[in-house]
Amino acid sequence: MDHFLYRNGELHAEEVRVADIVAAVGTPLYIYSTATLTRHYRVFDEALSGMPHLIAYAVKANGNLAVLKTLGDLGAGMDVVSEGEFRRALAAGVPGGRVVFSGVGKTADEIAFALAHNVRQLNVESFEELELVSRVAVANNAVAPVALRVNPDVDAKTHAKIATGKSENKFGIPISRAREAYARAKSLPGIEAMGVDVHIGSQLTDLAPFESAFRKVAELTRLLREDGHDIRRIDLGGGLGIPYRQANEAPPLPFDYGALVKRTVGDLGCEIEIEPGRLIAGNAGILVSEVIYRKQGEGREFLVLDAAMNDLIRPAMYDAWHDIVPLKEPAPGVEKAEVDVVGPICETGDTFARARPLPPLGPGDLVAFRSAGAYGAVMSSEYNGRRLVPEVLVNGDQFAVVRARPSFEEMLARDTIPAWTA
Ligand SMILES: *Cc1c(COP(=O)(O)O)cnc(C)c1O
């Protein structure tokens, strides 16, 4: 459930009429719901109740400072994958002690930054990274708290671009070499390996791959303890999927995920960390756009919007489906016609939906892409000279612009022309 519902025939974000936000900010724009973000955080928190745990929200799903502050104030930790994301977490008031640093390619500077800010944990993904983390820690008179990310060779059964837990993926240390890696970690002066980490992919719609990965982690944890390692934390990553098609998708619920966590790793006495991104932010956001043209093609009709793939790349990149709804609630029983919903960018890939049954819509009408709160604005760009899409956060009957649409002047001012040109 989210908080984008029709009231009196018009789409609302919580108690605010979406059309009122459009009147103030223009289109395209993203709108996020505080109530939905809060609810999703709490659902996870309850699902893991009874076990010591930290919900480290994956900043990469939606890193707007207002979103991070909202979640951080509830007690969330943050899972970051770069110094830039780390700085976002800090700027939102989340201390380094609640920040987990993930990622396959941390640089020496990023590791030093994390240690200087008392990072809770570095999730280390290779033997090579272990050596670098130890060197940087020693140079800074620190000992790095480390979890090793193991690759359990589990098929997450999700889109190939977001599956990360198979042996052919670039992520983690093969689980078959994990004991060797922990032995190496123990011999290094700058490392304290106290955790095991796993993340097998994103948008998982079935619990079975999680179950096999978590069982492998539990078994490994027992072996590592026999080897004399003091494993105190287990980080199970993110990845729980959301329903992008309200009509016919029912991915597992956080409650069932929590029960699975308890069943598989709950008896180890470890602190549990999870890193959900999409499930917290995905259904907490919409992208609102205006129809520019209804264009007649050969045997098909195109709805040309003022939003494009640079604003929401998921359909082009992951073949993703987003429900598209008009801001004005269609009359019951209104006839739908199939249209291709496209943006203005000069690429055929700039297509949001093909042959999508939609009620009659024409120039000036407003539509919303649902489930656009995760991997939406964070992946936006200025491709085709388009201004970065603005973001708005709603809270009850209030809304605030939390990232303004830049002016064309600001956009141009970032480039400089070298002196040698005439
Ligand atoms: C992307 C990512 C996440 C978040 O995944 P979601 O599917 O958004 O929950 C968590 N941990 C790591 C290491 C990631 O790369």
Side-chain angles (χ1 to χ4, degrees):
M1 199 210 102
D2 60 43
H3 290 79
F4 300 99
L5 299 170
Y6 289 114
R7 294 182 182 198
N8 310 317
E10 296 195 78
L11 191 68
H12 280 62
E14 302 190 19
E15 287 153 48
V16 185
R17 227 165 57 103
V18 173
D20 289 343
I21 305 176
V22 169
V25 182
T27 56
L29 90 154
Y30 279 93
I31 301 175
Y32 311 130
S33 154
T34 301
T36 311
L37 290 167
T38 303
R39 182 171 168 278
H40 289 163
Y41 173 81
R42 295 223 164 106
V43 163
F44 268 120
D45 199 33
E46 278 160 31
L48 297 182
S49 66
M51 287 180 289
H53 63 268
L54 179 77
I55 298 162
Y57 166 69
V59 171
K60 79 174 196 270
N62 183 329
N64 188 286
L65 290 185
V67 169
L68 302 187
K69 179 78 165 64
T70 300
L71 294 168
D73 286 354
L74 296 169
M78 300 283 150
D79 172 54
V80 304
V81 292
S82 68
E83 180 175 332
E85 285 191 356
F86 204 138
R87 286 177 181 269
R88 285 189 168 271
L90 295 172
V94 178
R98 294 213 309 260
V99 176
V100 174
F101 200 152
S102 299
V104 73
K106 298 174 208 77
T107 65
D109 284 349
E110 288 181 316
I111 294 163
F113 181 88
L115 293 173
H117 289 85
N118 298 315
V119 67
R120 172 185 176 84
Q121 169 185 319
L122 291 161
N123 288 345
V124 168
E125 300 219 12
S126 63
F127 285 81
E128 295 78 4
E129 187 187 349
L130 263 185
E131 306 292 328
L132 180 61
V133 169
S134 181
R135 272 206 307 280
V136 173
V138 168
N140 289 280
N141 290 318
V143 176
V146 158
L148 292 185
R149 175 170 178 180
V150 295
N151 185 324
D153 195 20
V154 165
D155 184 352
K157 300 209 163 55
T158 183
H159 191 278
K161 284 188 183 147
I162 47 176
T164 58
K166 283 287 283 172
S167 55
E168 71 254 29
N169 301 131
K170 68 181 177 181
F171 298 99
I173 293 167
I175 198 159
S176 56
R177 294 193 64 196
R179 292 170 82 183
E180 189 190 330
Y182 280 86
R184 179 65 190 148
K186 198 166 206 164
S187 73
L188 291 170
I191 303 276
E192 200 216 345
M194 48 66 199
V196 180
D197 170 45
V198 72
H199 171 74
I200 57 172
S202 200
Q203 186 53 16
L204 272 73
T205 51
D206 181 5
L207 286 180
F210 284 123
E211 171 137 23
S212 38
F214 297 174
R215 288 203 184 285
K216 288 185 180 195
V217 165
E219 185 190 314
L220 174 66
T221 302
R222 289 193 189 92
L223 285 173
L224 292 173
R225 283 179 169 167
E226 281 169 25
D227 291 346
H229 302 288
D230 182 16
I231 304 297
R232 307 189 292 280
R233 278 188 201 151
I234 294 184
D235 181 342
L236 297 170
L240 200 55
I242 63 170
Y244 279 99
R245 300 173 78 142
Q246 308 281 331
N248 62 1
E249 284 176 5
L253 300 172
F255 177 82
D256 298 318
Y257 173 88
L260 171 65
V261 171
K262 283 178 200 173
R263 205 160 68 234
T264 50
V265 299
D267 61 340
L268 293 165
C270 284
E271 186 174 7
I272 302 300
E273 297 166 334
I274 58 169
E275 303 167 347
R278 188 186 309 269
L279 199 136
I280 288 186
N283 284 330
I286 58 173
L287 169 65
V288 183
S289 177
E290 184 176 319
V291 178
I292 310 174
Y293 301 109
R294 187 175 185 108
K295 175 180 164 173
Q296 304 301 321
E298 192 115 38
R300 57 207 307 144
E301 279 191 289
F302 298 96
L303 217 49
V304 185
L305 304 183
D306 68 355
M309 64 189 285
N310 71 300
D311 305 308
L312 177 66
I313 206 172
R314 298 193 63 262
M317 183 122 128
Y318 310 114
D319 311 304
W321 173 289
H322 284 269
D323 281 345
I324 300 170
V325 297
L327 260 51
K328 285 207 167 62
E329 187 171 20
V334 74
E335 197 155 331
K336 293 184 175 176
E338 288 185 353
V339 288
D340 284 13
V341 184
V342 304
I345 282 186
C346 306
E347 295 210 19
T348 303
D350 186 24
T351 298
F352 291 116
R354 288 180 214 284
R356 179 72 62 93
L358 287 177
L361 288 164
D365 287 337
L366 295 163
V367 295
F369 291 81
R370 297 180 56 88
S371 313
Y375 307 104
V378 275
M379 297 179 95
S380 62
S381 75
E382 293 178 343
Y383 187 40
N384 271 222
R386 294 166 53 84
R387 289 182 290 170
L388 272 191
V389 58
E391 298 168 84
V392 162
L393 181 65
V394 169
N395 183 20
D397 60 2
Q398 314 174 67
F399 73 89
V401 177
V402 294
R403 176 182 288 183
R405 195 188 312 277
S407 67
F408 286 112
E409 289 71 24
E410 285 166 330
M411 224 171 116
L412 292 177
R414 291 206 315 266
D415 294 8
T416 48
I417 295 173
W420 65 72
T421 60

